[in-house]
């Protein structure tokens, strides 16, 4: 995995700070947390947890990381390990792990319902964008919202961490963005971003 | 192993869509402003090599049944392998809450970590403890056992 990591990715920057933390620079952990929390928050929310549970789930993942720091052998694998841990904890808290084969994302989990107050924070284009994102399969919805908070070189390992088979990452990523683009471009109420 | 199509740059519309999606979610479903701080606080306590308890919030309507009409009371439970606790948080005034707890397990004392200070309360024979004057904000509990050998139990940090 690390052989493919690109210098400017979130995973690489966080991995570097985490390696420094493990080597004894304890203050570097704050940097790791700040870098990765937005992606982890998104991961938890995309898996059906309410905001309070999502915040707990993210905390638990960090606590487990420090507890098992030696198990994350490669600092570059840190982001992936945390995403997998957040996803599993979110599933446990929402009861999804009691359903059959909890290793893959399925397509029938509920979309996040943004409250009327939340929707009021959005402009018209954002509301249109969100409604089309909500219409995507859960797989695509999850992938797009999580990678929106990461850097491009991270997409492959994030897809893998979310349970998308490695061989289908490219097509899956293509399909998800394609589906969203087609829906938006055929929607006259949406203005192309400039 | 990486699919070569992943090495291709996304086009400008792809990038614009992902940027707009990020802005949309940051506006409509923002990460809690104190999440970084909460994680930091939790990690500081984790340095104790303690066992982590699971936090569960009780529905407000159930929790409020025994309280006075005008007092908002939140109840949370903490569960770990070696102990469990029920904790109620009642609003005293705008800045202060009172915390009452009941523990199941052979515990001697409870430590309450706030942003600026740490205080401890003894656990009585019935397993009860209380903190009468707690500043509203982030708190985290450390439960210490009567025998010195069992590792303490910590909780995730939470807003009171």
């Amino acid at each position: 995995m690390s052989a493919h990591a690109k210098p400017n990715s979130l995973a690489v920057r966080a991995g570097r700070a985490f390696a420094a933390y493990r080597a004894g620079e304890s203050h570097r952990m704050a940097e790791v947390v700040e870098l990765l929390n937005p992606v982890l928050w998104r991961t938890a929310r995309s898996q059906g947890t309410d905001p309070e549970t999502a915040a707990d789930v993210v905390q638990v993942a960090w606590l487990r990381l420090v507890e098992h720091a030696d198990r994350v052998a490669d600092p570059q694998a840190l982001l992936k390990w945390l995403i997998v841990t957040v996803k599993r904890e979110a599933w446990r808290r929402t009861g999804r792990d009691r359903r059959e084969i909890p290793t893959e994302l399925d397509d029938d989990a509920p979309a996040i319902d943004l409250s009327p107050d939340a929707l009021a924070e959005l402009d018209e284009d954002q509301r249109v964008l969100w409604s089309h994102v909500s219409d995507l399969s859960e797989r695509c919805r999850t992938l797009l919202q999580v990678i929106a908070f990461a850097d491009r070189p991270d997409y492959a390992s994030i897809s893998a961490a979310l349970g998308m088979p490695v061989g289908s990452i490219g097509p899956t990523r293509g399909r998800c963005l394609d589906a969203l683009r087609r829906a938006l471009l055929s929607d006259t109420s949406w203005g192309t971003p400039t | 192993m990486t699919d070569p199509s992943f090495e291709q740059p996304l086009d400008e519309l792809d990038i614009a869509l992902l940027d707009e999606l990020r802005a949309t979610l940051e506006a409509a479903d923002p990460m809690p402003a104190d999440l970084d701080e909460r994680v930091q606080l939790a990690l500081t306590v984790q340095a104790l090599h303690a066992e982590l308890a699971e936090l569960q919030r009780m529905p407000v309507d159930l929790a409020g049944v025994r309280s006075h009409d005008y007092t908002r009371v939140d109840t949370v439970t903490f569960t770990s392998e070696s102990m469990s606790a029920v904790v109620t948080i009642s609003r005293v005034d705008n800045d202060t809450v009172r915390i009452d707890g009941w523990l199941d397990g052979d515990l001697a004392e409870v430590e309450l970590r706030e942003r600026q200070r740490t205080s401890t309360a003894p656990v009585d024979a019935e397993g009860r403890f209380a903190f009468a004057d707690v500043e509203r904000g982030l708190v985290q509990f450390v439960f210490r056992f009567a025998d010195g050998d069992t590792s303490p139990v910590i909780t995730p940090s939470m807003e009171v």
Side-chain angles (χ1 to χ4, degrees):
Chain A
M1 181 58 64
S2 59
H4 296 285
K6 301 297 184 296
N8 291 322
S9 77
L10 199 55
V12 167
R13 284 181 287 144
R16 221 174 263 151
F18 186 60
Y21 158 78
R22 284 219 312 213
E25 295 178 45
S26 54
H27 66 281
R28 297 292 295 276
M29 196 62 194
E31 189 183 332
V32 184
V33 171
E34 279 169 30
L35 282 168
L36 300 185
N37 255 355
V39 174
L40 300 180
W41 165 255
R42 218 49 261 155
T43 303
R45 288 287 288 140
S46 73
Q47 299 302 301
T49 55
D50 62 52
E52 283 193 342
T53 306
D56 288 341
V57 162
V58 169
Q59 268 198 68
V60 165
W62 285 108
L63 289 166
R64 300 226 182 289
L65 173 70
V66 171
E67 201 178 336
H68 304 297
D70 49 335
R71 282 195 213 163
V72 185
D74 176 1
Q76 310 310 340
L78 171 69
L79 175 58
K80 200 173 164 181
W81 190 92
L82 282 166
I83 288 177
V84 169
T85 306
V86 165
K87 187 182 72 173
R88 286 196 188 135
E89 185 67 17
W91 284 12
R92 205 175 62 75
R93 298 284 286 264
T94 55
R96 273 179 82 182
D97 63 347
R98 286 194 289 276
R99 301 193 342 214
E100 76 289 0
I101 323 176
T103 53
E104 289 281 325
L105 294 174
D106 53 32
D107 283 347
D108 60 351
I112 307 173
D113 281 326
L114 295 181
S115 65
D117 284 352
L119 290 170
E121 297 294 315
L122 302 179
D123 65 30
E124 189 49 37
D125 277 351
Q126 290 177 326
R127 271 191 287 273
V128 173
L129 172 67
W130 182 248
S131 79
H132 286 296
V133 170
S134 305
D135 287 341
L136 297 173
S137 67
E138 192 207 5
R139 215 176 248 274
C140 284
R141 212 158 56 214
T142 299
L143 181 63
L144 292 182
Q145 25 174 326
V146 176
I147 65 173
F149 285 81
D151 296 331
R152 234 177 302 163
D154 301 312
Y155 295 174
S157 64
I158 288 177
S159 307
L162 288 171
M164 321 255 179
V166 171
S168 67
I169 291 165
T172 301
R173 183 280 243 115
R175 237 189 359 257
C176 295
L177 268 175
D178 262 12
L180 182 61
R181 285 170 71 129
R182 271 200 313 272
L184 284 166
L185 290 170
S186 64
D187 187 332
T188 51
S189 60
W190 183 71
T192 311
T194 46
Chain B
M1 287 297 285
T2 310
D3 187 314
S5 69
F6 240 90
E7 308 297 324
Q8 301 290 324
L10 304 185
D11 72 14
E12 282 172 19
L13 181 56
D14 289 325
I15 311 263
L17 285 182
L18 289 173
D19 284 351
E20 186 68 359
L21 179 56
R22 179 180 185 138
T24 299
L25 290 164
E26 281 173 344
D29 188 31
M31 184 177 98
D34 65 356
L35 188 59
D36 288 348
E37 193 186 351
R38 271 198 245 183
V39 170
Q40 292 298 342
L41 182 63
L43 291 179
T44 308
V45 177
Q46 176 68 338
L48 301 170
H49 299 292
E51 186 192 349
L52 175 65
E54 178 158 326
L55 183 161
Q56 243 167 357
R57 293 180 173 81
M58 306 287 281
V60 171
D61 52 348
L62 275 183
V65 166
R66 283 188 204 131
S67 67
H68 300 293
D69 284 345
Y70 297 103
T71 317
R72 185 190 153 93
V73 176
D74 289 319
T75 301
V76 297
T77 62
F78 297 110
T79 317
S80 81
E81 272 177 27
S82 45
M83 54 82 59
S84 61
V86 181
V87 172
T88 61
I89 298 131
S90 14
R91 183 79 56 88
V92 175
D93 57 40
N94 279 340
D95 307 313
T96 320
V97 297
R98 179 188 165 85
I99 293 177
D100 289 281
W102 179 79
L103 295 164
D104 186 19
D106 189 17
L107 291 125
E109 84 179 8
V110 180
E111 187 175 304
L112 178 76
R113 298 196 169 203
E114 300 171 69
R115 273 197 180 95
Q116 308 294 345
R117 60 177 179 177
T118 296
S119 35
T120 51
V123 178
D124 74 13
E126 277 79 47
R128 294 180 190 280
F129 67 92
F131 295 94
D133 180 23
V134 180
E135 221 178 286
R136 291 185 63 198
L138 282 180
V139 300
Q140 185 169 20
F141 296 93
V142 180
F143 300 110
R144 295 186 196 280
F145 288 85
D147 76 65
D149 298 336
T150 312
S151 321
V153 171
I154 61 166
T155 68
S157 54
M158 56 180 260
E159 195 83 39
V160 296

